[in-house]
């Protein structure tokens, strides 16, 4: 029976799923043709048809990570501060799927940091992500839900907070169940709303002038 | 001429330095006997004397990372909030040495997350680090420099903030020079000092009871 286009597409989906599973359990360091073949219950020979080299496999895996990150469902719960909270909740490992995805992102940092092209690409991606958070911070400020202050600095802080919480949760999921992650994020957001604008603090002149 | 104990120690230091340099530039993914030998300007044959297997090399590298982290110079600038700030500054990539060390830590996360024993070990290390921060938060609260609130939760938040800032800085050092990292940390600490204790907020009863 001749192979149809449908067979080909189905096979590609299977390969993608196998690559994803290997990354989620063994990380990029464990991503080999042999491991993907074992996950697929196929021969490494078949895999070389898709990935002629280790580099091709890694590039495919990085593309897959980006595509799945773009395609993931997102919260759309409100405007202003609620929208900022949604964007940060979307990053946290609150579900099994989000945990796999975060684990793969963290795993990819080693490869990305050792490759100048990838490193530049990651820097750009994180800067874009901060820009999107900056827009939401500015919107929350316009609504009066956040006090004044450089929205870009607040966005950097928020991104730092969630990235660090992701890392701590991946290593110690028992200590950071979803409810605790959300509680910690809400604590963080409440410190932002209580934040005093540093520019309004009276600076004391060392010579005693007002 | 017979080899002395001094030669042996000097050679061990050279090997450690070569392993460190390879990790700092290529990460754990690039840590191979061949790369260490090239860095040492030696043969891989000599290296197998020190590291009979790849696993032995990785274990040595992880030990080296921990030893150097323990041995690194630390700030001792004060008590209370100043001591908390010191501990957080000690983590940030503010110098070339601290950048290498952080880059190697981040790189080691991939290997650590794929190995259950290492993963448990890392979870323990980060929990200990949070415990040390918790003590400093509690001391700052006793001095009245930080408002009341669960010191462990505040410590988790502070650790999350610096870990996330480390990751952003490693990818984009130009966007996060030392002065900006310190400014962002001080901004973060100022939100903690302005923090309203959530337990003192009046909770509104939905039925309108006081």
């Amino acid at each position: 029976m001749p192979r149809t286009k449908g067979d080909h597409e189905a096979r590609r989906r299977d390969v993608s799923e196998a690559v994803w599973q290997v990354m989620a359990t063994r990380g990029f360091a464990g991503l080999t043709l042999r491991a993907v073949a074992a996950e697929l219950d196929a021969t490494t020979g078949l895999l070389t048809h898709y990935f002629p080299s280790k580099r091709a496999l890694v590039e495919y895996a990085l593309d897959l990570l980006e595509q799945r990150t773009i395609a993931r469902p997102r919260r759309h719960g409100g405007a202003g501060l609620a929208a900022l909270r949604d964007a940060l909740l979307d990053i946290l490992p609150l579900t099994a799927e989000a945990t796999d995805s975060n684990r793969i992102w963290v795993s990819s940092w080693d490869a990305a940091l050792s490759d100048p092209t990838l490193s530049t690409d990651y820097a750009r991606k994180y800067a874009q992500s901060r820009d999107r958070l900056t827009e939401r911070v500015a919107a929350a400020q316009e609504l009066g839900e956040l006090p004044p202050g450089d929205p870009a600095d607040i966005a950097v802080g928020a991104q730092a907070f969630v990235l660090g919480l992701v890392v701590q949760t991946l290593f110690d999921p028992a200590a950071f169940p979803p409810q605790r992650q959300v509680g910690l994020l809400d604590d963080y957001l409440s410190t932002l709303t209580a934040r005093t604008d540093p520019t309004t603090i009276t600076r004391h002149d060392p010579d005693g002038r007002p």
Side-chain angles (χ1 to χ4, degrees), chain A residues 79-84 136-148 189 192-194:
Chain A
L81 192 60
L84 176 65
R136 295 187 180 207
V137 168
Q141 288 175 323
E142 270 178 37
L143 290 171
E145 295 172 324
L146 284 178
L189 291 174
L192 290 187
T193 55

Side-chain angles (χ1 to χ4, degrees), chain A residues 9-197:
Chain A
E9 288 301 313
R11 173 58 76 170
R12 277 201 80 83
R13 274 200 303 278
D14 289 348
V15 169
S16 294
E17 197 49 41
V19 169
W20 190 258
Q21 281 310 314
V22 169
M23 288 195 293
T25 48
R26 306 186 189 197
F28 271 81
L31 180 65
T32 59
L33 284 180
R34 185 191 295 260
V36 176
E39 182 72 34
L40 262 181
D41 215 358
T43 61
T44 50
L46 176 90
L47 262 293
T48 55
H49 171 71
Y50 290 92
F51 312 115
S53 66
K54 174 70 192 278
R55 189 169 176 86
L57 174 59
V58 169
E59 278 171 8
Y60 182 86
L62 288 168
D63 279 350
L64 185 62
L65 176 58
E66 180 151 23
Q67 283 164 26
R68 289 204 175 188
T69 300
I70 291 169
R72 71 170 192 254
R74 293 179 195 247
R75 290 164 181 83
H76 295 284
L81 192 60
L84 176 65
R85 181 174 184 267
D86 281 348
L88 299 171
L89 286 173
D90 280 342
I91 298 171
L92 291 176
L94 299 172
T95 63
E97 290 75 20
T99 302
D100 282 353
S101 171
N102 271 297
R103 195 246 175 276
I104 297 169
W105 273 113
V106 171
S107 159
S108 76
W109 290 343
D110 186 22
L113 284 169
S114 351
D115 179 316
T117 310
L118 269 179
S119 203
T120 307
D121 189 44
Y122 269 54
R124 188 183 47 75
K125 274 201 246 280
Y126 283 115
Q128 285 171 346
S129 165
R130 288 193 297 271
D131 287 346
R132 287 191 296 269
L133 292 177
T134 301
E135 284 169 21
R136 295 187 180 207
V137 168
Q141 288 175 323
E142 270 178 37
L143 290 171
E145 295 172 324
L146 284 178
D150 184 340
D153 278 357
I154 298 173
V156 168
Q159 192 180 45
F161 182 85
V162 291
L163 284 181
L165 188 52
V166 164
V167 172
Q168 293 186 75
T169 302
L170 289 178
F171 278 112
D172 205 346
F176 298 100
Q179 202 182 346
R180 179 145 198 241
Q181 293 178 54
V182 175
L184 288 162
L185 174 62
D186 283 337
D187 258 18
Y188 176 75
L189 291 174
S190 78
T191 63
L192 290 187
T193 55
R195 191 170 187 271
T196 311
D197 178 10

